[in-house]
Amino acid sequence: MGYWLFKTEPDAFSIDDLANRPQQTEPWDGVRNYQARNFLRDDIALGDKVFIYHSSCKTVGIAGVAEVVKAGYPDTTQFDPESKYYDPKSSETNPRWFRVDVKFVEKFPSVIPLSTIKSMPTITELGVVKKGSRLSIMPVVENEWQQLCAVAKR
DNA sequence: GCCAACGTTGGC
DNA sequence: GCCAACGTTGGC
């Protein structure tokens, strides 16, 4: 079982958007970063748990949990000239970008603020506490996942 | 809105 | 293959 953190800008897509459609499969598409692509294509598995992280907003931090319901497969927006994620250098026979599907699991009673996460001395691996981390998809180690879940439920 | 950090691009 | 220029991300 793997653990991950996905960033999203809540103005575009928030934990509430997920929560309002609890039965629905949501595509996590438009990721255009090679390191994140490799995670999506190679490492993120069915059943993995995902922290939904709100960035570029009033309260930056972890807002809740989702679950992977479909592992990596080609992100079709890369083939669509109308899409803002269109990539003319990609092809259906050799796709460059991948996505997974997720579904809602839970919304935390309140967002765990980034400042709180940074203040926890035992959270050292998580990418968001590292300076200048711009990755939108990042792994979470299990013990840090458990710690953050405990904080969320306080 | 500022700006540091980082990824990508393209000339050589 | 180097590296400067440029664009983007994202916290503050």
Side-chain angles (χ1 to χ4, degrees), chain A residues 49-93:
Chain A
K49 294 296 198 309
V50 178
F51 280 143
I52 301 299
Y53 177 91
H54 285 176
S55 69
S56 299
C57 59
K58 203 165 70 179
T59 307
V60 169
I62 298 170
V65 177
E67 179 182 339
V68 176
V69 292
K70 184 170 181 182
Y73 65 105
D75 176 355
T76 51
T77 61
Q78 70 195 303
F79 309 128
D80 176 8
E82 303 294 306
S83 169
K84 68 172 174 174
Y85 300 120
Y86 178 60
D87 184 347
K89 293 180 191 156
S90 187
S91 70
E92 306 215 20
T93 50

Side-chain angles (χ1 to χ4, degrees), chain A residues 77-126:
Chain A
T77 61
Q78 70 195 303
F79 309 128
D80 176 8
E82 303 294 306
S83 169
K84 68 172 174 174
Y85 300 120
Y86 178 60
D87 184 347
K89 293 180 191 156
S90 187
S91 70
E92 306 215 20
T93 50
N94 189 19
R96 178 179 290 190
W97 306 112
F98 284 72
R99 78 183 201 189
V100 300
D101 290 349
V102 301
K103 74 166 193 224
F104 177 74
V105 173
E106 72 177 311
K107 179 185 175 181
F108 291 152
S110 61
V111 172
I112 309 175
L114 179 58
S115 57
T116 298
I117 300 169
K118 284 182 171 170
S119 76
M120 296 168 66
T122 50
I123 301 289
T124 58
E125 301 282 315
L126 188 62

